[in-house]
Amino acid sequence: MLLFSVRVIGPSAPANAITRKAFYSVSSTRLYRFHVGASFAGKPVERRDKGIAEIKFPPTSDIATWKKRQLNVPGKALPSRDPGQDMFFVQEMAHQTGMAVGIADGVGGWSDSGINPALFSSALMYYGARLSEHAVAGEPDFVESESGPLGSKELTPKDCLRSAFKRVEADRLIEAGSSTALIMTLNAQSGLMRSVNLGDSGFMLIRNGVASHIQPPQTHYFNCPKQLSKIPGPMRQQGMLEDTPDAADSWSTTLRHGDFLILYTDGISDNVFPEELLTIAKLALRQEGTELQQAQLMADSVVNYAQQCMYNIDRVSPFEREAAQHRKRWAGGKEDDATVVVVCVSEEVDSLERAVPLV
């Protein structure tokens, strides 16, 4: 379920709350809750290579089952049900220590070789989610439970990306492909957010109504992002790009109450200027609703606006402006798949020193 929250709760939790054995906290005074919304829209079916798009995972495979469940976003207003060559994940981490989110964009050029780029990006996100599910979100304040030591290990975003990529390389269902990748972990006790980004996806941190941080893209040259690649011997050619997870940029910060994180693929950033993204977020916050509803509204609104922009040849787009800087001619928006994940952060205060159960 993608529209959900993760938090630490005390003994006054409602009767229907999911509870587990307490983990002993030394002095946990700040507790974070993350409200997540996601939205996406792949290119129209008539604008795709139907033969390539029909190359999919076996319907009974673990990845296909996971992807179907992941794309079932409660509350999503846009009618699109297919992210195209994009994919994302939202995963609660072990022992409810926090959350991991990721977003990836398959490199479309593989279609010319008969490869569906969506397979690589989907598999990368699948393995990122599975690794995050069994890891903790950084070093937690608590170290042991009633039944013994906390068994799960810390997994940094870069370690997650490395391990997920290794699994894609070993997966026989993935013949070849490339993808950008952005992975982020959110610690529910400390509020620590850590991220790793390879390629031209990105994110914006909105704090106190301003863009506090915008993650810059990584490219080799114009319209060619850094990317993870799986290239079998017969397909290998001179000049093919093979970046490694170690080339990804890392960034971290401590989150605060009221922060918003907007993660996006380049279908957004090529068509929506940062100041427009900020305006859309502010407009969504004016609407009544819970944090969950606001996060989902924000995600839907960003994707909807990007779709309008990408088919408008009379409006100068970020992609057109960047093309001009490289002395290339382009008019208007750039058609592409568009995916957004929004995280709303709320902070609760608990000054008691006691065993704190997690949900």
Side-chain angles (χ1 to χ4, degrees):
M1 184 177 182
L2 299 180
L3 261 173
F4 64 96
S5 305
V6 173
R7 66 167 178 167
V8 183
I9 64 173
S12 59
N16 62 350
I18 301 174
T19 59
R20 308 186 73 167
K21 288 186 176 181
F23 293 96
Y24 290 99
S25 173
V26 177
S27 180
S28 182
T29 59
R30 293 189 176 184
L31 314 174
Y32 292 80
R33 188 172 183 175
F34 308 116
H35 317 269
V36 185
S39 193
F40 50 86
K43 294 178 184 178
V45 176
E46 62 273 13
R47 309 276 292 194
R48 306 182 196 179
D49 186 325
K50 294 183 180 179
I52 297 299
E54 290 174 356
I55 302 174
K56 301 180 179 181
F57 294 106
T60 58
S61 66
D62 290 342
I63 297 180
T65 302
W66 168 86
K67 184 173 182 177
K68 182 178 180 180
R69 184 172 62 249
Q70 196 77 179
L71 296 179
N72 182 24
V73 182
K76 180 174 176 288
L78 298 185
S80 55
R81 291 294 175 262
D82 180 5
Q85 297 166 1
D86 290 354
M87 193 52 203
F88 66 94
F89 77 84
V90 179
Q91 178 63 54
E92 185 177 3
M93 301 188 75
H95 307 291
Q96 291 75 42
T97 54
M99 182 181 296
V101 294
I103 201 164
D105 180 3
V107 176
W110 281 98
S111 297
D112 297 335
S113 300
I115 301 295
N116 183 354
L119 301 186
F120 188 103
S121 58
S122 295
L124 189 65
M125 293 293 94
Y126 166 75
Y127 287 116
R130 294 287 70 81
L131 288 161
S132 300
E133 182 180 15
H134 302 290
V136 297
E139 291 295 337
D141 292 336
F142 46 82
V143 295
E144 62 180 0
S145 70
E146 293 177 349
S147 59
L150 187 64
S152 300
K153 296 182 179 180
E154 175 191 13
L155 183 72
T156 69
K158 185 160 286 189
D159 286 339
C160 181
L161 184 60
R162 287 193 191 104
S163 297
F165 179 46
K166 287 181 180 179
R167 284 161 173 75
V168 172
E169 289 183 307
D171 194 325
R172 295 182 179 180
L173 292 177
I174 313 302
E175 180 183 358
S178 302
S179 178
T180 64
L182 166 60
I183 294 177
M184 183 181 293
T185 60
L186 312 167
N187 191 308
Q189 277 204 309
S190 66
L192 177 64
M193 182 280 281
R194 297 187 291 187
S195 68
V196 63
N197 183 59
L198 182 77
D200 56 3
S201 292
F203 67 90
M204 174 185 287
L205 169 61
I206 300 175
R207 174 173 293 169
N208 298 326
V210 300
S212 176
H213 177 77
I214 299 175
Q215 186 64 30
Q218 292 183 317
T219 60
H220 289 283
Y221 47 86
F222 174 64
N223 202 29
C224 180
K226 289 189 176 182
Q227 55 202 259
L228 300 176
S229 301
K230 180 177 181 179
I231 308 173
M235 292 185 175
R236 190 171 296 277
Q237 299 177 16
Q238 185 176 2
M240 298 187 81
L241 301 176
E242 295 182 84
D243 296 300
T244 69
D246 290 334
D249 288 335
S250 298
W251 191 78
S252 64
T253 190
T254 299
L255 298 170
R256 301 177 186 174
H257 179 81
D259 283 353
F260 275 86
L261 291 160
I262 305 179
L263 292 71
Y264 47 80
T265 57
D266 68 331
I268 303 297
S269 54
D270 282 342
N271 292 289
V272 182
F273 288 100
E275 55 269 26
E276 293 177 312
L277 190 60
L278 183 60
T279 297
I280 294 170
K282 290 181 177 179
L283 290 174
L285 291 176
R286 292 180 183 178
Q287 304 301 312
E288 293 185 0
T290 65
E291 290 97 334
L292 288 170
Q293 292 169 332
Q294 288 181 328
Q296 187 58 46
L297 174 61
M298 197 179 296
D300 283 330
S301 299
V302 171
V303 173
N304 184 54
Y305 183 68
Q307 283 190 296
Q308 296 177 38
C309 294
M310 66 178 64
Y311 297 108
N312 187 345
I313 64 172
D314 298 320
R315 169 188 174 274
V316 176
S317 68
F319 187 80
E320 178 181 347
R321 186 168 293 178
E322 185 180 1
Q325 293 174 351
H326 291 83
R327 298 184 179 182
K328 297 182 182 296
R329 305 181 76 177
W330 188 274
K334 180 177 181 287
E335 183 183 49
D336 203 351
D337 306 317
T339 301
V340 170
V341 175
V342 173
V343 181
C344 170
V345 181
S346 62
E347 186 178 357
E348 301 173 358
V349 177
D350 186 347
S351 59
L352 298 178
E353 293 188 7
R354 52 176 167 72
V356 181
L358 304 179
V359 300

